[in-house]
Amino acid sequence: MKNINLKDLNIEKVHKHLKDGDFTVGELVDSYLEVIKEKNVDLNAYLEIFTKDIKPQVENAEKMFKDGTATLMTGIPIAIKDNILFEGHIASASSKILGNHVAVYDAFVIEKLKKEGVVILGRTNMDEFAMGSSTETSYYGVTRNPFDRTRVPGGSSGGSAVAVASDMALVSLGTETCGSVRQPSSFCGLVGMKPTYGAISRSGIIAMGSSLDQVGPMGKTVSDVEILYKSICGKDPLDSTSLSDEFKSNFKQAPLKKRIGVPRDFLSGGGINEEVLKNFDESCEKLKKAGYQIVDVTSETMKYSLAVYYIIMPAEVSSNLARYDGIRYGFSEKAQNLYDVYAKSKGKGFGKEVRRRLLLGSYILSHGYHDAYYNKALKVRDMIARELVTIFLDVDAIISPTVPFPAFPLGDKMDDPMAMYMCDIFSAPANLAGIPAMSLPSGKTESGLPLGLQITAPYLREDILFTIGKDFEKLV
Ligand code: GLN
């Protein structure tokens, strides 16, 4: 077996090594499989390795190198979250109800990746139906943080984060409804991005909250995340919210003002861990050294984001998950009448957190409460988005810590949903406003837990995240 130093690799380096013949795609993939064999039993990042498919994918990638049709993504070993459909493979959203659900078509992002000749290694553990911030609500056991195995990796894309952080894949795909790519990236020392709503098609992604859901790339460097992002973008007729290149070209890439805003009053609301605050201040200093002006910005509405998210999201969840009725597909419990089929299938097929949100969502949308909760939340969502547009007239981007605290011990917040929801406080504005945001590794706590800096940019200005991100990562 070839001795390849996986820690040191990124997409561009791999591409060069493969082109120069330093190692083959097969040798590279074998090295990752070796690490998976050694570490996955304990970390539980992968629910399944697609053993049977690996050989044909490797052969295809090697052929592309021989033909001269290889792209930067060809031969790159990637992990995918368990809510992304890959034809012929189980996609369970880490739920019992979809435990033996085999995808009958490829998600748009999988189609794209297949064309580029990537090697999809396996599907990764997640919070059930992407509801959670710790990967503990999965029906298939918890995933552990490789920096401290007694702690959570974050969630809901915890498996995708751990796969990359522990060299069980070079890059991975997660999904976001509110922070599920950024938060585990922050807890596991990775770069993770939530793109603009509509930048990537959600066709073939198991839905959670459709006005919020996006696929997001995760990797060790900004450049890896950028390359992966660009390879899965694009208009898809099967997702009416996906944006065309023509539409995107209307958003002129204005030059940077080199001014970054800090929503100081939002951050001073309390509840942020001291080491996180100190690390954030250090990140601001680093950005100043890189030539950015750091200014305070005022927001009247950001503080409402979390409350608004936890009204809109369960409403959409209750509507999206109505399809798991125990009749058409998925887990089903025999019963005497139709009502019992629904009640028993959902009652036994869904875990506690999912059921909590279904009940909440149905309540929010019910007659008499719809206006008071749902419609009001939509109005505040609009105010948040509009205020952000105004703030971005003055600054290129907004920064904050990604999460108010570092990775917490397993089990710590499972009995306290409100405490768990607090993980999302800095994530929510970007999802509600449909704008792009990225988490970058910004250092570690004294005990060695990774911390993250979040950068949020205006609509369709992912380029700003890449530019600032690259400047920042040179200084950490
Ligand atoms: N923590 C968020 C929640 O529980 C995660 C949602 C997501 O991004 N999938 O709703």
Side-chain angles (χ1 to χ4, degrees):
M1 185 129 151
K2 200 117 187 183
N3 198 359
I4 305 174
N5 181 6
L6 301 180
K7 281 228 166 329
D8 202 36
L9 292 181
N10 59 38
I11 294 178
E12 277 169 310
K13 282 188 191 170
V14 167
H15 186 71
K16 187 164 184 308
H17 284 306
L18 291 173
K19 251 174 66 182
D20 295 350
D22 299 331
F23 49 74
T24 64
V25 178
E27 286 165 337
L28 177 69
V29 168
D30 283 346
S31 303
Y32 280 102
L33 292 174
E34 200 57 35
V35 181
I36 292 171
K37 218 194 277 166
E38 179 200 330
K39 294 186 179 170
N40 195 53
V41 181
D42 182 29
L43 295 174
N44 197 28
Y46 284 99
L47 294 180
E48 181 186 354
I49 299 299
F50 300 136
T51 318
K52 272 198 240 138
D53 301 277
I54 288 179
K55 201 163 165 239
Q57 293 186 89
V58 167
E59 282 168 1
N60 176 47
E62 282 176 350
K63 187 169 166 287
M64 286 173 78
F65 271 97
K66 279 199 197 100
D67 292 352
T69 54
T71 68
L72 275 175
M73 286 303 296
T74 306
I76 299 297
I78 186 172
I80 60 168
K81 191 174 176 178
D82 189 30
N83 59 353
I84 302 177
L85 303 194
F86 178 16
E87 190 181 348
H89 302 84
I90 289 181
S92 77
S94 293
S95 179
K96 179 179 176 185
I97 211 160
L98 288 180
N100 45 26
H101 164 247
V102 176
V104 291
Y105 64 97
D106 281 331
F108 178 83
V109 294
I110 297 295
E111 249 177 53
K112 281 265 195 184
L113 290 175
K114 275 185 175 173
K115 275 193 200 125
E116 302 233 23
V118 304
V119 180
I120 305 172
L121 295 175
R123 61 184 170 99
T124 58
N125 201 15
M126 56 186 273
D127 280 296
E128 186 181 8
F129 280 99
M131 300 176 203
S133 299
S134 62
T135 314
E136 291 169 293
T137 70
S138 166
Y139 181 67
Y140 304 99
V142 302
T143 296
R144 292 171 186 276
N145 190 314
F147 290 86
D148 175 347
R149 287 162 198 229
T150 66
R151 289 177 186 262
V152 304
S156 62
S157 314
S160 290
V162 174
V164 178
S166 50
D167 295 318
M168 294 195 273
L170 183 59
V171 287
S172 64
L173 286 185
T175 62
E176 273 237 9
T177 307
C178 182
S180 279
V181 166
R182 285 166 285 162
Q183 190 255 19
S185 296
S186 166
F187 281 7
C188 293
L190 299 178
V191 181
M193 183 175 82
K194 181 208 92 76
T196 299
Y197 184 77
I200 299 174
S201 161
R202 285 97 35 90
S203 157
I205 309 299
I206 298 177
M208 178 178 163
S210 302
S211 77
L212 302 150
D213 295 345
Q214 268 306 283
V215 177
M218 302 161 96
K220 291 186 289 193
T221 64
V222 176
S223 165
D224 279 4
V225 162
E226 180 178 6
I227 294 167
L228 177 54
Y229 165 70
K230 288 185 174 156
S231 73
I232 54 175
C233 267
K235 176 72 188 160
D236 173 11
L238 294 179
D239 178 356
S240 61
T241 68
S242 75
L243 306 170
S244 65
D245 288 341
E246 193 193 354
F247 177 83
K248 287 183 191 161
S249 67
N250 293 327
F251 291 76
K252 293 230 170 63
Q253 310 273 288
L256 294 199
K257 297 186 260 295
K258 297 213 93 177
R259 262 166 85 78
I260 297 178
V262 176
R264 198 60 71 178
D265 23 357
F266 185 42
L267 299 185
S268 58
I272 307 182
N273 168 292
E274 265 176 35
E275 281 187 274
V276 170
L277 268 183
K278 186 167 160 270
N279 176 263
F280 178 67
D281 289 339
E282 286 162 10
S283 298
C284 291
E285 290 309 312
K286 283 177 187 148
L287 285 166
K288 280 186 199 160
K289 271 200 202 113
Y292 291 92
Q293 218 186 328
I294 307 291
V295 296
D296 284 357
V297 291
T298 316
S299 165
E300 299 291 332
T301 64
M302 257 183 220
K303 57 177 178 281
Y304 301 119
S305 305
L306 194 67
V308 167
Y309 169 70
Y310 276 94
I311 292 175
I312 293 176
M313 173 273 298
E316 294 187 6
V317 159
S318 77
S319 144
N320 268 327
L321 272 60
R323 73 191 77 179
Y324 307 109
D325 52 11
I327 293 174
R328 283 168 291 184
Y329 46 80
F331 170 83
S332 184
E333 183 89 344
K334 279 216 177 80
Q336 300 300 320
N337 57 45
L338 186 61
Y339 175 79
D340 273 355
V341 175
Y342 292 161
K344 287 190 174 156
S345 306
K346 287 175 189 260
K348 292 189 184 168
F350 289 134
K352 197 168 164 188
E353 184 60 27
V354 174
R355 279 181 282 138
R356 187 187 340 264
R357 296 188 193 202
L358 291 176
L359 291 173
L360 254 173
S362 310
Y363 177 78
I364 287 164
L365 290 178
S366 62
H367 182 71
Y369 294 104
H370 188 281
D371 270 346
Y373 295 113
Y374 185 66
N375 285 353
K376 197 162 179 186
L378 289 184
K379 282 185 196 149
V380 183
R381 177 185 195 168
D382 195 47
M383 286 164 68
I384 295 166
R386 275 187 288 131
E387 190 185 57
L388 279 162
V389 170
T390 317
I391 293 174
F392 285 129
L393 293 175
D394 182 39
V395 294
D396 301 315
I398 296 171
I399 51 171
S400 72
T402 307
V403 198
F405 32 77
F408 45 90
L410 287 159
D412 209 32
K413 298 186 196 293
M414 278 305 271
D415 295 324
D416 187 351
M418 288 300 287
M420 190 71 92
Y421 300 165
M422 285 306 286
C423 293
D424 307 333
I425 187 151
F426 299 135
S427 312
N431 298 80
L432 291 172
I435 56 180
M438 178 186 266
S439 180
L440 295 162
S442 60
K444 289 198 179 124
T445 63
E446 258 176 37
S447 61
L449 298 173
L451 297 170
L453 173 74
Q454 170 171 263
I455 316 177
T456 306
Y459 190 69
L460 283 174
R461 292 303 307 269
E462 277 78 1
D463 63 297
I464 292 181
L465 302 180
F466 300 137
T467 304
I468 301 178
K470 284 176 193 168
D471 284 344
F472 183 74
E473 86 187 338
K474 282 185 214 135
L475 297 162
V476 175

